[in-house]
Amino acid sequence: MENDAVKFFKAPEPGAKISFTKDPNKPGKFIFTMPQPPTFSSFGEERVHRKQRLVAAFRIFAKLGLDEGVGGHLTCRDPEHPELFWVNPFGRSFACITIKDLLLVDHNGTVVVGTSPLNAAAFVIHSKIHGAREDAIAACHSHSVYGKAFSTLAKPVLPVTQDACMFYEDHAVLPGFNGVVADEVEGDRIAEVLGSCKAIVMQNHGLLTVGKTVDEAAFWFIALDKACHVQLLAEAAGTPTLIAHEVAADSHKTVGSSLSGWFNFQPYYQMITREQPDILKVDDEDAQLNLGE
């Protein structure tokens, strides 16, 4: 049965104001209308949007302490050439990445745009995920503290809170650790175990999330690391009380929807662009892409 709360995320009618009203068919229930992700009139416009959001995600990860050294990589497909993806250069601090730092890479590992080095692990993991998941517009992986700690337990995130229900029956656990990911076999294994889920806990390694937008993938990573933190604290204190299956599954339909992931990222984006407005500085070159075809 459809969760009534899904109506919280229905698109408003053209010209309608964002508001909430009582559901006439269900006394006591409210129906909310929420903003929708933007649409674009050109590939160039969408390209700038995706790249800006990717840069913002890097800056947010740095601010939240989700990065570590040169480890970690966030990617998004190019809207015009979805077989290519934008990624951070190897060795560049998340806190310093700009839109012009981003590399455009193909699924053979060739850097199509950019002159900086490419992280081999970024290519191996993300090329396989983007190749296997047409719906994965963006993917995020970083060596966050709580994600790494939780990954050593080689078990799934439990429905111990409403927020943890974002990942209820919608994340995978990759068993075993075979060293630094530098070969395609391991990349294939990660993509296969991820399957159709939004996230994966990679044993002794950390977390990875995907989404239909950069916003969604980035928020899922932030939320999953927090869910790991909460579960570690709860289990250290005792035996957590789990949310019942029916309630957790029903809650997932709302808090775990793609639109919920996208919308939850917006406060982070507002915060980081106010603090670091250079993220918003773009020029015509950032929208254009000439592959010399």
Side-chain angles (χ1 to χ4, degrees):
M1 182 180 296
E2 183 186 65
N3 182 359
D4 293 333
V6 172
K7 295 178 181 177
F8 285 16
F9 301 106
K10 72 175 184 179
E13 296 297 324
K17 294 182 178 179
I18 296 172
S19 61
F20 65 89
T21 57
K22 285 190 175 181
D23 187 336
N25 299 316
K26 293 185 179 293
K29 292 281 187 177
F30 286 86
I31 301 174
F32 289 77
T33 57
M34 292 289 182
Q36 303 291 300
T39 56
F40 306 93
S41 60
S42 68
F43 287 127
E45 183 182 5
E46 187 170 7
R47 179 175 295 117
V48 167
H49 176 84
R50 289 189 186 182
K51 290 163 71 176
Q52 279 184 320
R53 296 290 166 143
L54 193 61
V55 170
F58 284 119
R59 304 286 187 89
I60 291 165
F61 275 36
K63 184 176 178 66
L64 298 179
L66 298 176
D67 58 337
E68 182 168 345
V70 300
H73 14 88
L74 283 57
T75 58
C76 70
R77 295 182 189 271
D78 184 80
E80 185 177 8
H81 302 278
E83 74 280 7
L84 308 178
F85 59 89
W86 296 94
V87 63
N88 50 305
F90 194 29
R92 183 73 167 164
S93 168
F94 279 19
C96 299
I97 289 176
T98 69
I99 198 168
K100 296 191 182 302
D101 290 325
L102 298 176
L103 306 178
L104 185 62
V105 181
D106 68 16
H107 287 267
N108 295 315
T110 302
V111 178
V112 178
V113 174
T115 58
S116 299
L118 170 65
N119 185 336
F123 165 70
V124 169
I125 296 173
H126 291 253
S127 65
K128 296 300 182 180
I129 289 173
H130 286 301
R133 289 279 299 273
E134 185 177 347
D135 64 321
I137 298 300
C140 298
H141 166 63
S142 192
H143 296 180
S144 58
V145 172
Y146 301 111
K148 286 189 297 184
F150 188 82
S151 75
T152 67
L153 304 176
K155 66 180 185 179
V157 171
L158 299 175
V160 296
T161 67
Q162 172 181 295
D163 293 333
C165 292
M166 295 174 184
F167 306 98
Y168 187 65
E169 297 186 333
D170 196 13
H171 70 291
V173 177
L174 180 75
F177 177 70
N178 298 322
V180 176
V181 182
D183 66 85
E184 293 186 334
V185 173
E186 189 66 6
D188 286 328
R189 190 168 81 98
I190 293 171
E192 181 180 2
V193 174
L194 174 65
S196 61
C197 296
K198 65 159 61 82
I200 184 170
V201 178
M202 298 181 286
Q203 183 183 322
N204 303 108
H205 188 175
L207 313 176
L208 183 145
T209 58
V210 298
K212 296 178 182 178
T213 60
V214 173
D215 310 53
E216 180 191 349
F219 177 73
W220 292 148
F221 191 96
I222 295 167
L224 183 55
D225 192 69
K226 290 184 176 183
C228 290
H229 188 184
V230 169
Q231 187 168 328
L232 289 168
L233 289 173
E235 291 182 334
T239 302
T241 301
L242 303 186
I243 296 172
H245 165 72
E246 294 79 6
V247 178
D250 199 47
S251 298
H252 173 268
K253 294 176 184 178
T254 302
V255 298
S257 70
S258 291
L259 189 54
S260 174
W262 171 83
F263 192 48
N264 270 289
F265 182 75
Q266 304 317 304
Y268 290 99
Y269 185 77
Q270 295 158 14
M271 174 269 296
I272 204 68
T273 52
R274 174 167 292 190
E275 292 182 358
Q276 303 176 31
D278 66 291
I279 294 169
L280 301 174
K281 293 181 180 178
V282 297
D283 55 36
D284 292 342
E285 183 181 88
D286 299 316
Q288 299 167 357
L289 182 58
N290 183 2
L291 299 181
E293 298 175 341

